[in-house]
Amino acid sequence: MFTFPGTARIHWHGNASPWNSHEFTWKWSSPPVCSGFHGFPRGHAIHFHVSSRECIFSFLLPGQQIQQDQFSSASWCPAGAHVVPPPWREERKEGWTRFVCFSDTHNLHGMIPQEHMPPGDVLLHAGDFTDSGELEQVESFNQWLERYPAEVKVVIAGNHDVTFDEDYYLARGARRFHKGKPYDCSKARGLLKSCTYLEDSSIEVRGYKIFGSPWQPDFFDWAFNRPRGHELRKKWEAIPEDTDILLVHGPPAGHVDMTSHEGHAGCEELLAAVQARAIAAVVAGHLHTGYGTSADEVTLFVNASTCTSDYNPTRPPIVFDLPPSHELRAATNAAARARGGS
């Protein structure tokens, strides 16, 4: 339920007026129930079509999240972050940094269309770059990273990258996935020579502090699983307080975590950890049907799953720009204080 009055930004997509934003304010005490309007019923609808154009309203209300099925519809981001819609012709502002986000490529990186490989300053990959951790696939992925037009590449593992979770692999992963010919999983990380691999660790890039972690709530018998509750809470306690960008495999609860059968399936403990910190962006994947962006008043949430539910690598990457780190941090901290009422 939305609280009125409020503010919305409209994002148009169509032949006549591509990617123009318009902001307006409404003052009704309650929203009329309507959808599929033709015309411009100011403040009345959250979605409608006008000939070849589509208008999607994003509501900017304190304490509310904004979620879009397609990241190209996201027209507002918190704390100065800016989602760049395809075909990514928009130039980034001077001093800003462009992040290009992939996830869940599942050894299909070679089939990603060339037009879905925009240049950027930093490439982020949120895991599941292999089918099931095969070292040949890790090497192939590394070669793809090496060729990618980005200055810096930062990668985490996902549940499919089983050779990166040595405890799991030696206990049962090798028997499940590679019967008769197990891999030497101690070699897996060393094959990623064209990127920085993070596992419960951080890197500073252009002044931004990026923390990466592969853990997720129990998901069948895969790698990097932990039970919901105390064990995952302990994992997320390792996130540094000064993290600007959080790179995780599974999304937090309620943000870019929708599944086709179980509804929202994200991690509640992760959401609590994010909301206890002033994190500007959370980049995840894992749940292919959750692809898109979401936001609250502090954080931009991204599900960059490249593969569809049918494992077709046809989704474009999600691209966003961030202002210089000191500006971003000041804006994010101010938004976090306002959210906390302090």
Side-chain angles (χ1 to χ4, degrees), residues 41-64:
R42 176 171 168 164
H44 284 225
I46 60 171
H47 180 260
F48 62 92
H49 292 268
V50 181
S51 64
S52 64
R53 285 182 269 178
E54 180 179 72
C55 173
I56 296 179
F57 289 8
S58 298
F59 296 94
L60 282 60
L61 301 172
Q64 298 288 337

Side-chain angles (χ1 to χ4, degrees), residues 86-284:
W88 310 291
R89 297 193 185 103
E90 179 182 338
E91 293 187 10
R92 61 173 172 77
K93 298 178 183 177
E94 184 176 355
W96 287 47
T97 298
R98 178 154 296 182
F99 294 83
V100 181
C101 305
F102 293 90
S103 187
D104 295 78
T105 47
H106 292 287
N107 193 42
L108 298 173
H109 43 269
M111 296 176 62
I112 295 173
Q114 190 65 36
E115 60 268 25
H116 288 179
M117 296 175 60
D121 300 306
V122 182
L123 180 149
L124 301 175
H125 195 293
D128 277 6
F129 43 84
T130 67
D131 285 327
S132 48
E134 291 77 7
L135 298 192
E136 300 88 348
Q137 295 182 13
V138 179
E139 289 184 287
S140 175
F141 176 64
N142 180 73
Q143 292 167 4
W144 179 81
L145 287 174
E146 185 176 11
R147 295 189 299 269
Y148 198 92
E151 178 185 344
V152 178
K153 294 107 176 186
V154 183
V155 172
I156 64 169
N159 59 288
H160 277 254
D161 308 315
V162 298
T163 49
F164 283 73
D165 185 352
E166 187 169 0
D167 290 342
Y168 165 79
Y169 191 73
L170 295 179
R172 58 190 183 278
R175 291 195 303 274
R176 180 184 177 196
F177 296 104
H178 308 133
K179 293 179 180 179
K181 194 178 180 181
Y183 288 95
D184 181 355
C185 56
S186 67
K187 297 180 179 178
R189 290 168 178 77
L191 296 174
L192 291 178
K193 300 174 182 178
S194 302
C195 66
T196 296
Y197 173 75
L198 297 179
E199 188 173 311
D200 298 325
S201 55
S202 296
I203 184 176
E204 185 169 320
V205 176
R206 295 191 168 199
Y208 307 101
K209 296 181 179 179
I210 304 174
F211 181 82
S213 182
W215 305 101
Q216 66 191 9
D218 279 338
F219 185 77
F220 301 102
D221 186 19
W222 288 94
F224 297 111
N225 278 348
R226 286 293 183 271
R228 293 179 184 269
H230 175 73
E231 287 198 37
L232 277 172
R233 193 175 304 115
K234 293 295 289 183
K235 287 294 183 185
W236 305 135
E237 286 175 1
I239 301 171
E241 294 290 333
D242 60 353
T243 296
D244 297 307
I245 301 170
L246 180 61
L247 185 60
V248 287
H249 185 53
H255 291 276
V256 290
D257 69 334
M258 186 62 72
T259 63
S260 56
H261 301 295
E262 300 178 5
H264 292 285
C267 179
E268 294 86 354
E269 292 76 22
L270 178 57
L271 178 64
V274 171
Q275 293 183 337
R277 295 161 174 80
I279 296 177
V282 176
V283 178

Side-chain angles (χ1 to χ4, degrees), residues 12-90:
W12 294 91
H13 181 205
N15 297 328
S17 181
W19 306 115
N20 291 325
S21 295
H22 308 276
E23 191 169 284
F24 66 92
T25 301
W26 70 90
K27 298 181 180 179
W28 289 273
S29 59
S30 60
V33 178
C34 56
S35 62
F37 270 78
H38 291 270
F40 197 100
R42 176 171 168 164
H44 284 225
I46 60 171
H47 180 260
F48 62 92
H49 292 268
V50 181
S51 64
S52 64
R53 285 182 269 178
E54 180 179 72
C55 173
I56 296 179
F57 289 8
S58 298
F59 296 94
L60 282 60
L61 301 172
Q64 298 288 337
Q65 61 170 309
I66 301 169
Q67 184 157 347
Q68 306 288 351
D69 321 353
Q70 300 178 0
F71 75 94
S72 57
S73 302
S75 56
W76 172 82
C77 299
H82 174 64
V83 175
V84 183
W88 310 291
R89 297 193 185 103
E90 179 182 338

